[in-house]
Amino acid sequence: MKRWGLIWFAAGSLGLTSFGFAHPPEYSAILSRAFIKSGSINPENHREFRLEESQQDVEVAKFCKQLGLQFGKFGWEADPCGAVKWQASIQTVEKRPLLYASFGKGKDVTLLLSAVHPNEVTPVPMGFRLARHLLAHPDLLKADQRVVIAPLINPDGFFVDKPIRTNARGVDPNRNFFTLDWYEKSLSWWQSGRNKNLAYFPGHFPNSEIETIFQVRLIDDFQPDKILSIHAPLGFLDYDGPGDQKPSTLTPTETQARMLAAAISKKANNYRVVDYSFYPGSLGNFAGNERHIPTVTLELKTTDPKKVDEYWGQFLPGMLGAIEYPFKKSVEAKLNTFKFYSHYEPLAIKPKDRT
C-alpha cells in the first residue's frame, strides 16, 4: 500500500492525475511538445545522428539535388553544391546531412558558418557560393591557410514551405550553446526579453541540439583562428570577441581581433561595425567571449531573396579579406580550445582531404 501511495503522490505532483496541472495558458504550446519533441543528445542516442561513411556520398548527393529544387523556389541557382566535395558525418533529426567543405591544408584556419536561422533566407546561398568560388580559384589560398565552410547549419528549418528560425524540435540553435551563463540567464532572458516567443526558445538543456553540437565539433576538430557567421537582417558587422562589450584597455590580442572586423568592413564598402551584445547560449558568447576565438557576425541588410546577387557582390571581398587576415592564436585562445565534446567520439568530425 505504501508503494502505491508513493506512485500516486509522484504522479499527482507532476500533474498527471485527472485534476490536471495548473499553468499559465501561454505555456500550453511549450508543454505540449515538452514530452514529444524535446530531448537531448546523450551517450545512449548519439549514434542516431551519425552518418556512416558508407552512406555519406549517396546522402550528400541526394541532399544536394533536393537543395537545388528548394533554391529554385527563391529564384537562386539550380546547382548550389556544384563540384565541391562536400562532406557530412552528422545528420539532423529529420535525417538531413550537415554539410561542410574544407579548402587548403594550412594551420591558419577560418571557419565560416551560415544559415543558422533559415528564415533569414539571404545568408543561405552565401556559404555555397563561397565554396564554389574557392574551388574555382584555388590560388586565393596561401599555403598556410585553410578555410572550412558549413553553409547550411539548420537544413530542417529551411526545408519547409516557409523557412523557420528554429530547428525541427523547435529550438533556436544560436541560443543552445553551453555558455557559462546558460543556466543562470538563458530561460529567464527568453521569458522576459523575448516574451516567450517560441522562435527564440533556447531549449530545455544546453547543447541538446545536433545543429549546436555540429558547430561545436567543427570548432573542436578544426581549431579555427577566426570565425565568420552570416545572418540577416540587421545590416551591420557585429564583433563578438574577445574583448566584446569592453570599452577600453584592450589587450593586444583584443585589439588585433577588432581590427579583423574593421578589415572586413573596409572591403565591404565601409559596412557599419557595431559592438552588439551577445546572448546566453549564442555562438558569439561561446566562441568569441569564452574561448577568445575572434568571431564576427555579418548581418546582411534584408531577408529579400532577390537581393542575394547584390549581397554576394558586396561581401565577397570582405569574406576573402577575413580569410586573408593573419591571426595568431592568443595564449587565452590556446588555453580555451580543449575539445568540448571529446567524449562523444561518434560525433567527431573526421575530415578527408578531398579538395
Side-chain angles (χ1 to χ4, degrees), residues 102-107 141-147 353 355:
S102 177
F103 301 87
K105 300 179 182 180
K107 294 183 178 180
L141 296 185
K142 299 177 182 177
D144 62 341
Q145 293 176 333
R146 185 171 196 167
V147 179
D353 291 318
T355 55

Side-chain angles (χ1 to χ4, degrees), residues 102-326:
S102 177
F103 301 87
K105 300 179 182 180
K107 294 183 178 180
D108 180 359
V109 181
T110 302
L111 174 61
L112 183 138
L113 306 171
S114 185
V116 176
H117 299 141
N119 67 321
E120 294 168 359
V121 181
T122 43
V124 175
M126 301 293 280
F128 289 99
R129 291 189 178 192
L130 181 61
R132 299 199 309 271
H133 189 78
L134 292 178
L135 181 65
H137 303 280
D139 56 304
L140 289 173
L141 296 185
K142 299 177 182 177
D144 62 341
Q145 293 176 333
R146 185 171 196 167
V147 179
V148 179
I149 300 173
L152 185 52
I153 297 295
N154 183 5
D156 289 349
F158 182 60
F159 277 87
V160 291
D161 291 337
K162 186 177 181 181
I164 58 176
R165 179 183 175 92
T166 64
N167 68 0
R169 297 204 290 197
V171 175
D172 182 345
N174 201 35
R175 298 292 183 269
N176 189 244
F177 286 89
F178 193 0
T179 53
L180 297 177
D181 58 357
W182 198 94
Y183 280 103
E184 178 185 0
K185 297 180 179 179
S186 188
L187 287 173
S188 62
W189 177 88
W190 171 69
Q191 291 169 349
S192 59
R194 289 295 177 180
N195 297 316
K196 307 184 189 72
N197 185 336
L198 294 180
Y200 296 85
F201 183 57
H204 296 281
F205 308 98
N207 279 2
S208 63
E209 306 309 305
I210 191 60
E211 295 84 1
T212 308
I213 291 177
F214 174 53
Q215 295 174 84
V216 172
R217 292 303 329 212
L218 289 171
I219 295 170
D220 276 356
D221 297 336
F222 287 103
Q223 298 286 290
D225 295 81
K226 48 193 179 294
I227 299 173
L228 178 62
S229 180
I230 308 179
H231 287 258
L234 300 182
F236 55 68
L237 281 165
D238 175 22
Y239 171 67
D240 289 316
D244 185 31
Q245 302 293 301
K246 189 175 178 182
S248 60
T249 320
L250 298 178
T251 67
T253 297
E254 291 168 346
T255 300
Q256 186 187 16
R258 288 199 176 192
M259 288 174 65
L260 168 63
I264 298 172
S265 170
K266 184 176 180 180
K267 292 200 172 187
N269 300 325
N270 295 317
Y271 203 60
R272 185 167 59 118
V273 179
V274 174
D275 193 0
Y276 203 60
S277 60
F278 46 73
Y279 299 104
S282 68
L283 171 72
N285 197 346
F286 177 84
N289 180 45
E290 294 186 358
R291 280 158 185 76
H292 299 270
I293 304 170
T295 303
V296 175
T297 299
L298 167 57
E299 285 275 354
L300 303 178
K301 289 182 179 179
T302 74
T303 59
D304 182 356
K306 296 179 182 178
K307 295 280 189 178
V308 165
D309 289 342
E310 175 186 332
Y311 295 154
W312 170 248
Q314 180 179 359
F315 293 107
L316 174 61
M319 290 189 286
L320 295 177
I323 295 169
E324 296 168 1
Y325 190 84

